[in-house]
Amino acid sequence: MTGQVEELDRPAETSTGDEYVDLTPEYAREIFDALGEDDSNTASELLSELHFADIADLLGWASSNQRAQLVELIRPDFDPEFLTELDDELREEVINLLGTDVVAEAITELDSDDVVEVIEDFDEDEQRELLGALSDIERARVEEALSYPEYTAGRIMQRELVAIPDYWSVGQTIDFLRSAKSLPDDFYDIIVVDPRYSPVGIVPLSRVIRTNRPVLVRDVMESEEMRTVLVTEEQENVAHLFRQRDLISAPVVDDSGRLVGVITVDDVVDVIDEEYEEDMMRLAGVGEEDDLSSAILDTTRSRFTWLLVNLGTAIMASLVIGMFEGTIQQLVALAVLMPIVASMGGNAGTQTLTVAVRAIATRELTSTNAWRVIRKEVAVCGLNGLAFAVLSGAVTWFWFGDVMLGAVIGVAMIVNLLFAGLFGALIPLGLERAGIDPAVSSSVFLTTITDVVGFFAFLGLAAAFLL
Amino acid sequence: MTGQVEELDRPAETSTGDEYVDLTPEYAREIFDALGEDDSNTASELLSELHFADIADLLGWASSNQRAQLVELIRPDFDPEFLTELDDELREEVINLLGTDVVAEAITELDSDDVVEVIEDFDEDEQRELLGALSDIERARVEEALSYPEYTAGRIMQRELVAIPDYWSVGQTIDFLRSAKSLPDDFYDIIVVDPRYSPVGIVPLSRVIRTNRPVLVRDVMESEEMRTVLVTEEQENVAHLFRQRDLISAPVVDDSGRLVGVITVDDVVDVIDEEYEEDMMRLAGVGEEDDLSSAILDTTRSRFTWLLVNLGTAIMASLVIGMFEGTIQQLVALAVLMPIVASMGGNAGTQTLTVAVRAIATRELTSTNAWRVIRKEVAVCGLNGLAFAVLSGAVTWFWFGDVMLGAVIGVAMIVNLLFAGLFGALIPLGLERAGIDPAVSSSVFLTTITDVVGFFAFLGLAAAFLL
């Protein structure tokens, strides 16, 4: 299965389907060992067996010393596409190590959308320097792409595309494809446009080949299933559209409906990755720029803010406890048990919150079914509240030999879990309605509520009924 | 931009790029209102304007009553692909409402991989019933797919593909494509095989069209960039491969290297979705089957287990507090302040944990850089520990007027955050090494540690130095 024609006679078992070696942690360690012994020949040889995407991964695993050594080894002969495979933070470091000249030269070999990806995080002066080696046409394309806001369709679309008028026959189309000089390297769909250069349909290439020459393109194109995307559309919405409609490609148009680019499903895969990572990180109070390869101080600073907010809310919960100092003084068991009520509320609420944040992202949860979902979540948490009221009540009774103390913790548990379900659903819905990403800061609001309600219900009931 | 040829003369502004109406919450409400008034004519009319993927979304937003009404309205004339757009739980409900006969008939119009998606969650008897209406060939294909384990390449691949021998010329290939009877509807890449039917390369269709007829296919095919996938490979690894190598399609082979199917990037999008959802849900202790449309009791039961584990760990933390009942009795301020230490540890640890779980999933974190990442996380948490030691110490001194109490909370804070960073990284790495998904149950281990360490450090230091 290797790609070598001469090797066709070998038995299938010895082949790998790939000319490259797979990058495993063991293989990486061999390279790092060679670097450690300053054996650049061995390291170079091992490196030359790797696909450029694996070299990018390897740089991510390396320490900053090893990274500098690796960059020197790949400098003489690297595939420019390697630059597109690096994470943002890492790319900046590698580009600084390689030097602007080398990178400016390398990006002349990339497609315009890849150039945009490589340079978009640099400031304008650096961008101008990096773009210096590009041809005027190429530079104009990149600068146009950079003129669209980040995270919009204009940034992820390809400008290289094949468009034909709808009055052409299949034969004319094939002749055009065979003779045209400046087509993209590989393409899969042809976009059919009207005289205003507005897309009216899409034809998969396979259909062009399989249809008789005299047939008109307009008679074999897909038009019902085609969806156009506005160039300023947010990439999140583009990703949703592709997933929901199972699209392979979509033409991108400007305000006047003119075709300006095309987005294909493989561009969308990266967007889906980014959006998910954002949700997951935001739920935990971690910044998007918080990368394994970020500097310690940057990471510390980016996480500090969230922890500071959390300190504020923890102090708020402590103030609630402080209201009951006298009660605790009389019955220290309350101090022993109170974290249980708060923690169960926090966990039950987080379950609801996560389901709601996810369902809002996939648009399964909208204003049409919000109340039904809220009612369901309250019911679910209420039922689990009942179950854990019995369990925690029994444990408390057994532990402290006080049935009333068990009853108090049970009732507090039910109250707190009801609030957890209610606010676990309400908070993300409210943030979404206010135009704020429901993933960001939902969980800090929620645990504030479950801590405050948990401590207040438990200690308050104890003060009222036990003393 | 509409697909209608006759409409080409309209100005671009009046066109929509799509024959369907967009499903908005407002549009859904109109339909639900019509259903509420038993006005099935209006409801049917509104429904007929929607794309089948939107109808699937609409069913997700509907109550179970509305769902039954909607299914009756679409029953006479629905696009069978609609069934592939439903979530698992919802699909089961809809198939039961439609009845086995209708569904068996509908799936005769689907590709084999879509049939697999629709029926894979039913038990064997039901599957046999649903497959009854399929042709023998089609049924054999579906049954073969079902013979591969769930979540493997064999389940997501398409069996419909175009394979040609590598000794063909481009001309022969084009003639074959134009004359062959049983090719897939649309296809984008042609797979080139050797005499053993092992894939040796891939040719994008655009390259076939643009190359002169006498050229051999083997001279224009991609072989270096081709990656084959084993039919039993886990879908998670397939998704990783596609993302890492930016693949458009990959041939799937059996144990002996024979071509059995093809996976394209659009199949992988759904896998990426599933894998992410799994990670996100598992981190919050929510089961994958926990869907908005699940029954209340099912959801309650599926969340109960996690909460039960959490009750156990909360009790463990309480036992630690119980060791210091005497200390708290003498100084109730300790009970007021102790949740702050525990909560800060939990949050700092969750930040580290989330970064680590995510980095393990994207393979940015492997055994090659594990120790460096652990050291970094401990350093970051230690630095934030210092900052919050000062802050919480100052607040405590100011609040209780006791500088020693402030010192004790400060030291406890540093200790707890160091543990949080250490175990936030160690736990997912340890689970991964033990072959367990690092997302599952990491957070419960972690908060147990930060609660126990937090309470023990704070109350223990207080007992030693304050009394």
Side-chain angles (χ1 to χ4, degrees), chain A residues 199 201-202 222-230 233 237 241-242 244-245 247 249-253 263, chain B residues 1 16-23 51 54:
Chain A
I202 277 192
E222 283 288 346
S223 55
E224 285 215 337
E225 290 290 332
M226 180 187 75
R227 284 294 307 253
T228 56
V229 170
L230 202 60
E233 185 67 76
N237 297 334
L241 181 69
F242 268 77
Q244 204 239 4
R245 291 283 173 97
L247 299 180
S249 58
V252 181
V253 296
I263 295 178
Chain B
M1 289 183 290
T16 65
D18 186 310
E19 302 245 330
Y20 301 99
V21 167
D22 273 338
L23 177 65
H51 187 271
D54 279 340

Side-chain angles (χ1 to χ4, degrees), chain B residues 247-467:
Chain B
L247 299 180
I248 302 291
S249 57
V252 181
V253 296
D254 63 15
D255 284 335
S256 62
R258 255 181 79 87
L259 178 67
V260 292
V262 63
I263 294 178
T264 50
V265 62
D266 52 308
D267 305 317
V268 170
V269 167
D270 294 334
V271 174
I272 294 177
D273 260 1
E274 272 179 42
E275 297 292 330
Y276 262 112
E277 178 152 327
E278 203 180 86
D279 272 4
M280 192 165 160
M281 294 294 163
R282 282 183 173 174
L283 272 176
V286 180
E288 294 138 58
E289 65 302 337
D290 191 338
D291 215 61
L292 285 196
S293 52
S294 323
I296 290 181
L297 276 182
D298 292 340
T299 305
T300 306
R301 212 175 301 125
S302 88
R303 295 199 196 157
F304 176 85
T305 321
W306 175 260
L307 292 175
L308 186 65
V309 174
N310 187 65
L311 179 65
T313 69
I315 289 175
M316 211 180 301
S318 290
L319 288 170
V320 174
I321 303 173
M323 293 162 55
F324 297 95
E325 271 192 67
T327 316
I328 293 172
Q329 184 98 52
Q330 290 176 60
L331 191 61
V332 180
L334 297 176
V336 175
L337 293 169
M338 65 185 186
I340 296 178
V341 182
S343 146
M344 293 298 286
N347 275 279
T350 302
Q351 291 179 329
T352 296
L353 184 73
T354 307
V355 170
V357 166
R358 170 79 186 136
I360 290 173
T362 59
R363 304 192 195 177
E364 284 168 74
L365 173 51
T366 69
S367 60
T368 55
N369 57 349
W371 284 110
R372 202 167 46 251
V373 170
I374 292 170
R375 279 201 306 273
K376 179 188 163 183
E377 288 299 326
V378 171
V380 166
C381 284
L383 286 174
N384 269 327
L386 274 175
F388 287 100
V390 173
L391 279 171
S392 59
V395 168
T396 302
W397 184 11
F398 179 78
W399 187 354
F400 293 92
D402 182 344
V403 67
M404 273 305 286
L405 185 58
V408 162
I409 199 173
V411 175
M413 187 72 81
I414 295 172
V415 170
N416 203 20
L417 262 67
L418 286 173
F419 272 84
L422 180 62
F423 284 92
L426 270 185
I427 291 171
L429 282 165
L431 288 171
E432 162 81 359
R433 177 162 274 200
I436 302 169
D437 181 343
V440 77
S441 59
S442 312
S443 61
V444 76
F445 284 141
L446 177 71
T447 49
T448 308
I449 290 171
T450 52
D451 279 355
V452 166
V453 170
F455 291 135
F456 193 85
F458 180 57
L459 297 174
L461 286 167
F465 295 102
L466 295 182
L467 303 179

